[in-house]
Amino acid sequence: MKVVLPTAEDLEKKLQQTRLQLDVLKMISDELSTELDLDKLLDLVAVKARGLIDAESMVVPIINSDRKSYTYRAASGMNAGEIIAMKFPVSVGMCGWVLSKKQPLIFGKDLPWMMDRKTRWEEGMESALLVPLIARGEIVGGLSGLGKKGGGSFTSDDMDLLKIFASQVGIAIDNARIFREMTDEKELSETTLNSIGDAVVVTDVEERVLSANPVACKLLNITQQDMMGQPLKSIFQIYSLNTDKPAADPVEQVLQDGKGFSIGEYQELRSSSGNILPISINVSPIYHDGQLEGVVLVFRDVSVENALIDEVRINERKYRYLIEHLGDEFFMYSQSVSGKLTYVSPTISNCLGYSQQDFITNCSNYLSDTKIDEAFQQALAGKTPLPYEVEALNSSGEKCKLRISKNPVIDENGDVIAIEGLVQDVTKLKAFEESVRHSQKLEAIGRLSGGIAHDFNNQLGVIQGYLEMLRDNLPESEIYKRWIDTSMKSTERCIELTRSLVDFSRQRLSSQSIINVNECLESMLSILEHTLTSSIDFHLQLTDAMTNVIADKGEFQDAILNLVINSRDAMPTGGRLDITTEVIRLEAAKRCFINQLSQGRYVRIQVKDAGHGIEKTIFERIFEPFFTTKPMGQGTGLGMAMVFGFINRVNGGIDLDSELGEGTKIELYIPQVRKSSVLKVSDSHSDDLPTGNERILLVEDEPALRELAATYLESLGYKVTAAEDGVKALDVLSKSGQFDMLFSDVVMPGGMDGFELAYQVRQQLPDIKVLMATGYASRKAREDSEADHHDEMLYKPYSRSILAQRVRRVLDNKNDESITG
């Protein structure tokens, strides 16, 4: 479909044309309203309708009383005499389709048509336009225009005009039928009056009210009983809309002249209750045997019509406002068929910084692309090309991305007379889309890493556990001890790597508290100075503002240490390293390289070095696990992944700026909290392991780890019953009775995680103690742990000594945080 965006000038012309058409319709409706003989009326309708839309012929089909057929009651133009009185079923032909569907139909060259495939199209007609005739709320017939004079097709404007005319014809048909029914039978006349949508009042020659329909009673705000016999002047008071003075009495004029007429302009009806309505008026004389006996006054509320005219004016103002006040990223344009730019909207200055005249004159200097030429040729051919994107220069000389649409402007002859369109600066949108894509990529890698870490943690726990048991149970031997110690160190290194993966995936349940960033950095001075070489000039600049944030102290320090190590390795021959802190307030949302920050206060930690820098082509990858630019053997590629995981857990952001040969600047943003620093104390554990004899329900889906945990607990004196998942655990509970503790993995198969299991177990044993173990936590598990559950959490893999102390603490209801892990 060809889409034409109207200009303000087009809208003004359209408004003037609409006014002229309304005037023509008014004149025609006046003429129709005076003809009360139905057959003569239909003949007049055929003539007037044909002239209104310039049709070769006009036919008026009227539905017969059986409602199953229709007859051509009137016709005008080509072959009119041949089709009068022809009768057809309502299922036949275009007229039958309109009458049965109660919908208009337009058909012509390059226009879609709405008829069913089964309905036969009469060949030989280049264009057709049909609309239904509605009278008294039901379809009574239609207007069928066939063939446009001079060739071509009927338009949607023709259809709108014919529909408005049809509504006037419906009123005229009503009037004619009212007259006929009044002369036949009074009772039938009253019934008909009551069903008409317009207000109808019948008076005698002395202007006394003889009858009135409910619509008239409603508009005049008077009951039918009170109206009967009253002088019409006492209840029907009209005023001129132009002068606000009482208007001439139309009924009195008809009684004097004996001729019907309608008032040429709308009048204002003022009811006795104070209601004011704009109305149109038609008055017809009533004759019997040539003697004038009264009048029929028909009037209707035209508020809706007035509102439509007002809406046209309002829309014209809206279009003008739209063109002149588009958003900062949009501007509209027009160009001639020769390709010359003829207009750009004032918003060009906000979008690209150019003045309207400057851009019109020098457009080709600011943007040039083969896509523009291709789209122009398509629009010139009358097609609407798909929107396309090109690069352009704004007034500051910066490159920006523009999305351009083009639409051909078609005249009434179907010729393209201009091309109009809309331009949007999508530079920021593209950057945002790229940022979202990057975040989604890292999120996907994180989920994969977390899943791998979960399974790997279970296996590492088994290896670590049995190595520990071998060490404690093998006979004294230096070589055995060396083998086991070496194996355990390698296992611990694997555990560190796995924890880095979990940190990156944000699935670790960290122990967060309120920490002071400045205090944490000051406590790291000794470590940082030993990490850096003497050739590096290190500066720590701390703000005087409060730098409290909610984070895990160890994770924060690990993140800083990883950034410092990267900066050190980027300056092998020395250089300068600056770490600064600052408290900033964001007045609006800020899109960082990693994450988008909402408005608020943040502590910004900046780590800036003078190293060799990072190529922009690998910016996206530096936070991926195992990606590193360091030589083989000098890095695992997990340091920046750990920083990524940490900053996501604290709901912060990361900004990155680097140039080859000039160094790298990384900024961490962490939400500030306005509270005092209350740091948890990290405690050590004793070699003297606590024991017990309580009954423990152990739930772990990994067989080897389940067996190891049971061995640990039984060696400490506890009575252990093991289950592989939540369903089996509930079955064991129903058969075995009492337990003192539930020791369960968080992530398990079968649709029931550890938290759900704990909830169901507590329904049966409200006082049971619960200890959870996890090396990987889903989003639901983290939310449960942080919200409604207050269960102890043991991070996998765990040693026998850590397990012993944690189990004992939970059983004894100790709430201190003296056990790490």
Side-chain angles (χ1 to χ4, degrees):
M1 183 177 69
K2 300 175 182 177
V3 179
V4 179
L5 186 64
T7 63
E9 183 179 356
D10 292 335
L11 287 172
E12 183 62 31
K13 290 179 179 179
K14 184 67 175 179
L15 183 58
Q16 292 176 359
Q17 183 182 4
T18 301
R19 288 171 176 166
L20 290 174
Q21 291 171 342
L22 287 175
D23 291 338
V24 172
L25 284 173
K26 192 66 175 63
M27 293 173 62
I28 294 175
S29 65
D30 293 345
E31 188 173 356
L32 293 179
S33 66
T34 61
E35 182 55 68
L36 294 178
D37 183 285
L38 184 59
D39 292 331
K40 293 181 180 179
L41 174 65
L42 295 178
D43 288 337
L44 184 60
V45 165
V47 173
K48 296 299 182 181
R50 175 175 166 244
L52 191 64
I53 62 170
D54 290 328
E56 291 287 355
S57 64
M58 177 63 62
V59 182
V60 184
I62 298 296
I63 296 178
N64 298 318
S65 58
D66 61 4
R67 307 298 294 177
K68 296 180 180 180
S69 63
Y70 65 93
T71 301
Y72 290 138
R73 294 282 296 273
S76 174
M78 186 185 304
N79 302 322
E82 299 176 6
I83 61 176
I84 292 294
M86 293 180 68
K87 182 179 178 180
F88 300 94
V90 292
S91 59
V92 172
M94 293 183 297
C95 289
W97 188 93
V98 172
L99 298 177
S100 60
K101 299 293 184 179
K102 300 179 184 179
Q103 296 181 18
L105 170 66
I106 183 170
F107 177 80
K109 187 182 298 182
D110 300 328
L111 288 175
W113 63 315
M114 301 166 54
M115 291 174 63
D116 302 326
R117 291 183 179 179
K118 296 180 181 179
T119 305
R120 187 176 64 84
W121 165 253
E122 285 85 358
E123 297 182 0
M125 287 298 178
E126 188 176 20
S127 183
L129 172 59
L130 301 89
V131 299
L133 283 174
I134 307 296
R136 304 182 189 178
E138 67 175 0
I139 186 164
V140 297
L143 300 176
S144 174
L146 303 175
K148 184 78 171 176
K149 284 185 179 179
S153 300
F154 293 110
T155 67
S156 58
D157 289 339
D158 292 329
M159 185 172 67
D160 291 339
L161 196 59
L162 195 59
K163 284 166 65 178
I164 295 173
F165 177 72
S167 67
Q168 298 293 324
V169 172
I171 296 172
I173 290 175
D174 275 349
N175 292 343
R177 286 184 172 179
I178 290 170
F179 176 74
R180 177 176 293 178
E181 291 165 0
M182 286 180 64
T183 58
D184 291 342
E185 187 178 348
K186 183 177 179 181
E187 182 180 351
L188 181 60
S189 174
E190 292 176 352
T191 302
T192 305
L193 285 173
N194 292 342
S195 66
I196 294 176
D198 290 341
V200 180
V201 177
V202 180
T203 76
D204 59 16
V205 292
E206 296 180 359
E207 292 193 57
R208 289 190 299 265
V209 177
L210 298 179
S211 64
N213 68 351
V215 178
C217 296
K218 182 179 179 181
L219 295 182
L220 295 172
N221 196 31
I222 187 172
T223 66
Q224 192 171 32
Q225 182 178 358
D226 292 339
M227 191 185 301
M228 294 303 98
Q230 295 293 322
L232 182 62
K233 292 180 180 180
S234 65
I235 56 176
F236 186 73
Q237 300 176 5
I238 57 174
Y239 288 76
S240 171
L241 285 174
N242 296 327
T243 64
D244 196 35
K245 294 180 179 180
D249 184 352
V251 174
E252 181 178 323
Q253 184 174 340
V254 171
L255 290 173
Q256 290 176 358
D257 299 342
K259 298 179 181 180
F261 82 104
S262 62
I263 297 180
E265 57 185 28
Y266 295 143
Q267 303 294 300
E268 189 174 80
L269 172 64
R270 299 182 183 181
S271 68
S272 57
S273 64
N275 291 339
I276 300 176
L277 293 174
I279 61 171
S280 66
I281 302 173
N282 288 280
V283 187
S284 299
I286 301 174
Y287 285 94
H288 184 66
D289 294 334
Q291 183 68 33
L292 180 64
E293 293 190 345
V295 296
V296 175
L297 169 66
V298 181
F299 59 97
R300 60 189 175 92
D301 181 1
V302 293
S303 301
V304 175
E305 294 180 14
N306 287 353
L308 288 174
I309 295 174
D310 290 341
E311 185 177 351
V312 171
R313 296 191 182 100
I314 291 172
N315 285 338
E316 189 255 343
R317 289 196 296 269
K318 284 182 178 178
Y319 281 123
R320 185 183 299 276
Y321 185 86
L322 174 65
I323 291 172
E324 296 179 356
H325 298 84
L326 290 169
D328 289 349
E329 68 274 21
F330 294 94
F331 67 90
M332 296 181 67
Y333 70 92
S334 298
Q335 58 186 140
S336 65
V337 292
S338 65
K340 182 180 179 181
L341 197 64
T342 57
Y343 170 81
V344 292
S345 63
T347 49
I348 181 71
S349 60
N350 298 329
C351 185
L352 297 179
Y354 299 112
S355 67
Q356 291 173 274
Q357 189 57 47
D358 181 17
F359 191 79
I360 290 173
T361 305
N362 303 297
C363 175
S364 59
N365 297 331
Y366 303 141
L367 68 157
S368 178
D369 194 288
T370 55
K371 296 178 184 177
I372 298 176
D373 298 330
E374 293 171 0
F376 176 78
Q377 293 302 323
Q378 291 183 47
L380 204 58
K383 301 177 182 179
T384 301
L386 293 173
Y388 56 93
E389 295 178 0
V390 300
E391 279 193 349
L393 293 176
N394 61 23
S395 61
S396 301
E398 301 169 337
K399 286 186 177 181
C400 54
K401 202 81 167 178
L402 302 181
R403 179 175 294 155
I404 303 175
S405 65
K406 288 184 182 293
N407 297 289
V409 180
I410 313 296
D411 65 7
E412 61 274 7
N413 298 320
D415 298 326
V416 177
I417 57 175
I419 295 171
E420 296 179 341
L422 188 68
V423 180
Q424 179 186 7
D425 183 355
V426 294
T427 309
K428 293 181 181 179
L429 179 61
K430 288 293 181 181
F432 177 75
E433 290 174 351
E434 184 66 19
S435 176
V436 170
R437 188 193 65 78
H438 184 208
S439 297
Q440 290 173 339
K441 174 184 176 183
L442 291 177
E443 182 73 22
I445 296 174
R447 286 194 296 269
L448 175 63
S449 302
I452 294 172
H454 171 240
D455 294 336
F456 201 37
N457 263 331
N458 285 339
Q459 303 307 319
L460 288 174
V462 175
I463 296 170
Q464 183 187 48
Y466 282 111
L467 284 174
E468 187 178 40
M469 294 181 69
L470 282 173
R471 182 188 62 192
D472 295 342
N473 291 283
L474 281 176
E476 290 291 332
S477 170
E478 286 298 323
I479 189 168
Y480 288 166
K481 185 177 183 300
R482 186 167 66 253
W483 288 350
I484 292 174
D485 287 345
T486 301
S487 297
M488 289 194 71
K489 287 180 181 177
S490 296
T491 303
E492 289 171 358
R493 178 58 178 151
C494 290
I495 291 172
E496 290 177 4
L497 294 175
T498 306
R499 288 196 177 184
S500 295
L501 279 177
V502 174
D503 286 345
F504 171 78
S505 66
R506 293 179 284 170
Q507 308 300 334
R508 179 176 177 182
L509 290 167
S510 59
S511 177
Q512 294 185 342
S513 61
I514 299 176
I515 65 172
N516 185 285
V517 169
N518 285 352
E519 292 176 3
C520 289
L521 290 173
E522 287 176 334
S523 68
M524 293 179 67
L525 272 175
S526 177
I527 298 175
L528 296 178
E529 289 172 351
H530 282 86
T531 300
L532 299 171
T533 62
S534 58
S535 61
I536 293 178
D537 186 13
F538 173 58
H539 295 269
L540 180 64
Q541 300 175 351
L542 305 179
T543 180
D544 293 331
M546 180 185 293
T547 59
N548 289 351
V549 299
I550 296 178
D552 183 293
K553 179 181 180 181
E555 290 182 3
F556 171 75
Q557 292 182 330
D558 286 346
I560 297 300
L561 187 59
N562 273 289
L563 294 177
V564 168
I565 291 173
N566 283 346
S567 293
R568 179 201 66 189
D569 294 344
M571 299 183 290
T573 59
R576 180 183 175 109
L577 173 64
D578 292 279
I579 299 179
T580 60
T581 62
E582 182 182 5
V583 175
I584 65 169
R585 177 177 179 82
L586 298 180
E587 300 297 339
K590 171 182 171 64
R591 167 55 60 178
C592 296
F593 182 74
I594 298 293
N595 295 340
Q596 176 165 312
L597 304 177
S598 57
Q599 66 179 64
R601 300 178 68 89
Y602 292 85
V603 177
R604 180 168 62 191
I605 305 99
Q606 183 184 101
V607 179
K608 182 179 180 182
D609 64 51
H612 48 62
I614 305 172
E615 292 185 17
K616 295 190 182 298
T617 56
I618 63 171
F619 270 23
E620 283 192 4
R621 302 199 60 197
I622 64 174
F623 292 100
E624 296 178 12
F626 305 115
F627 177 79
T628 179
T629 58
K630 297 177 182 178
M632 183 69 69
Q634 293 188 21
T636 63
L638 288 172
M640 294 303 285
M642 186 278 293
V643 175
F644 171 83
F646 163 72
I647 211 67
N648 275 293
R649 280 191 293 278
V650 299
N651 297 317
I654 305 175
D655 251 352
L656 170 65
D657 186 23
S658 184
E659 294 289 342
L660 287 178
E662 297 183 10
T664 300
K665 179 177 69 176
I666 294 180
E667 294 177 332
L668 306 183
Y669 292 83
I670 306 176
Q672 183 198 38
V673 294
R674 298 294 192 92
K675 294 182 180 179
S676 301
S677 177
V678 181
L679 297 178
K680 292 185 178 181
V681 179
S682 178
D683 305 296
S684 61
H685 57 275
S686 171
D687 291 332
D688 187 14
L689 300 183
T691 60
N693 58 3
E694 286 87 350
R695 296 191 63 188
I696 298 177
L697 177 57
L698 168 65
V699 188
E700 170 61 60
D701 62 288
E702 178 62 40
L705 191 56
R706 183 170 65 247
E707 182 181 350
L708 175 64
T711 302
Y712 275 169
L713 294 170
E714 288 171 348
S715 71
L716 296 169
Y718 298 104
K719 301 176 183 66
V720 180
T721 303
E724 61 189 69
D725 57 38
V727 175
K728 297 281 182 21
L730 292 175
D731 185 55
V732 168
L733 181 64
S734 65
K735 296 176 181 178
S736 301
Q738 294 295 317
F739 286 94
D740 300 293
M741 171 184 278
L742 170 66
F743 177 34
S744 174
D745 190 9
V746 171
V747 181
M748 295 185 295
M752 183 186 299
D753 63 18
F755 292 118
E756 177 62 25
L757 173 62
Y759 174 79
Q760 296 201 32
V761 169
R762 280 173 171 154
Q763 300 304 304
Q764 303 181 47
L765 301 174
D767 297 328
I768 194 171
K769 304 297 188 297
V770 176
L771 175 61
M772 294 288 180
T774 186
Y776 169 90
S778 65
R779 177 175 295 179
K780 178 181 183 300
R782 297 199 309 275
E783 291 173 349
D784 287 343
S785 174
E786 295 166 359
D788 298 330
H789 296 275
H790 303 285
D791 304 315
E792 288 279 352
M793 188 65 61
L794 185 61
Y795 194 79
K796 296 180 183 179
Y798 47 80
S799 66
R800 179 169 174 263
S801 61
I802 292 296
L803 177 62
Q805 294 181 71
R806 186 61 64 90
V807 168
R808 191 69 259 162
R809 185 177 74 180
V810 172
L811 286 169
D812 294 341
N813 271 328
K814 292 182 178 179
N815 294 322
D816 61 89
E817 296 289 335
S818 60
I819 307 299
T820 60

